[in-house]
Amino acid sequence: MVHFVGAGSGAADLITVRGARLLGEADVVIYAGSLVNPDLLSYTKADCEIHDSSRMTLEEVLAMIKRAEGEGKTTVRLHTGDSSIYGAVREQFDALDDAGITYDICPGVSSFCGAAASLKTEYTLPGVSQTVIITRAAGKTPVPEQESIRSLAAHQATMILFLSTSLSEKLQADLLSGGYDAETPAAVVYKATWPEEKIFRCTVGNLHQTIRKNGLTKTALIIIGNCLGDDYLRSLLYDPGFSTEFRERARV
Ligand code: SAH
């Protein structure tokens, strides 16, 4: 049996209770050493076999899982954040399906959720934006043309950019030409929820300069949008003037 486990965004105690239990039961752990906090390995049992996948190919990971299966062992494949976001898991699921190996998936706290907590912000504010766009700038991995930053920027929604700090010059130009105002608030969160976390608040107009000046090249998220500003409408859900399924509106 193979369990894909989301490690969470950084802090070792941000893994789910289920994820921690699965780690504790595993005979073999293959973890993404480039991004997963090694402190999480303290949840494993003493004789657990531990491998860092950042030095391995997909083929080597699969061979290791298949060997463990053949020996009747339980494997945890530990991915950073939640494995559904830039996790490179689909190719593993398909290969395991082909090999007839059973697996399941335990979700994790994605770094974009970790970053919201670090920023003490809400991405979906009434009167500001009700949409969160999760995307990346096109680099070595291409992005489909219909999802270009320019076209997504036209929505003025909250935008979260993964894997894009090293591409910030073109990114900033595309955000501006796509429709965000230069004054639109932005933030760069480096290693959200890790002990060494750093937050840089800026605007779309000085995003690239902020990233370059602070030497940010990886393990950072870029968040764009007026949700980082001061203006919004209060929610209807908790407004005394509105009834909900659970609460009668207040009578004046
Ligand atoms: N599955 C992961 C994302 C993996 S892609 C998740 O759900 O978070 C790797 C990218 O995620 C990094 O380049 C960076 O952009 C972002 N990232 C991962 N952990 C981060 C963290 N703790 N703080 C900021 N960005 C992070």
Side-chain angles (χ1 to χ4, degrees):
M1 178 77 183
V2 182
H3 304 285
F4 288 82
V5 175
S9 51
D13 58 352
L14 269 185
I15 192 169
T16 61
V17 174
R18 184 190 298 178
R21 177 178 58 76
L22 292 170
L23 267 181
E25 291 169 1
D27 302 305
V28 178
V29 169
I30 307 173
Y31 76 110
S34 52
L35 278 165
V36 168
N37 187 342
D39 287 354
L40 280 157
L41 302 175
S42 66
Y43 293 115
T44 59
K45 56 189 181 188
D47 58 348
C48 178
E49 211 185 287
I50 295 172
H51 302 275
D52 178 356
S53 64
S54 62
R55 295 166 199 286
M56 296 161 72
T57 62
L58 170 64
E59 286 71 14
E60 287 168 339
V61 168
L62 292 170
M64 193 164 279
I65 292 174
K66 286 177 186 168
R67 183 201 26 94
E69 281 297 300
E71 294 168 2
K73 292 179 172 167
T74 299
T75 301
V76 162
R77 178 74 175 101
L78 189 61
H79 281 273
T80 181
D82 183 82
S83 65
S84 69
I85 309 281
Y86 305 112
V89 279
R90 174 63 191 272
E91 59 200 24
Q92 299 176 69
F93 299 162
D94 287 347
L96 295 185
D97 284 337
D98 288 347
I101 294 175
T102 319
Y103 60 89
D104 62 14
I105 299 142
C106 173
V109 176
S110 178
S111 57
F112 81 92
C113 299
S118 304
L119 290 165
K120 296 194 168 75
T121 202
E122 177 176 349
Y123 293 140
T124 52
L125 281 179
V128 177
S129 174
Q130 292 290 291
T131 304
V132 182
I133 296 174
I134 290 175
T135 188
R136 65 181 298 171
K140 257 183 261 167
T141 303
V143 173
E145 179 52 34
Q146 67 272 23
E147 296 172 18
S148 71
I149 299 292
R150 275 192 66 155
S151 61
L152 296 178
H155 298 284
Q156 308 272 305
T158 302
M159 190 185 287
I160 319 254
L161 292 132
F162 284 72
L163 299 155
S164 301
T165 24
S166 62
L167 303 161
S168 59
E169 189 164 13
K170 178 164 187 323
L171 172 66
Q172 177 176 324
D174 289 348
L175 290 167
L176 290 170
S177 64
Y180 285 105
D181 200 86
E183 300 309 313
T184 307
V188 186
V189 184
Y190 170 74
K191 288 200 137 183
T193 76
W194 287 69
E196 56 268 48
E197 167 186 295
K198 285 194 189 120
I199 294 175
F200 304 90
R201 292 187 186 263
C202 56
T203 62
V204 172
N206 61 20
L207 176 67
H208 171 59
Q209 191 198 355
T210 303
I211 288 173
R212 201 179 45 184
K213 195 176 70 193
N214 293 290
L216 301 169
T217 51
K218 55 181 187 174
T219 329
L221 284 175
I222 300 167
I223 293 122
I224 309 286
N226 285 319
C227 69
L228 299 173
D230 297 326
D231 297 329
Y232 64 94
L233 303 175
R234 62 171 288 173
S235 70
L236 297 181
L237 184 60
Y238 294 106
D239 189 317
F242 284 81
S243 298
T244 72
E245 193 187 341
F246 302 98
R247 183 174 53 74
E248 279 278 304
R249 91 184 152 93
R251 289 174 210 287
V252 189

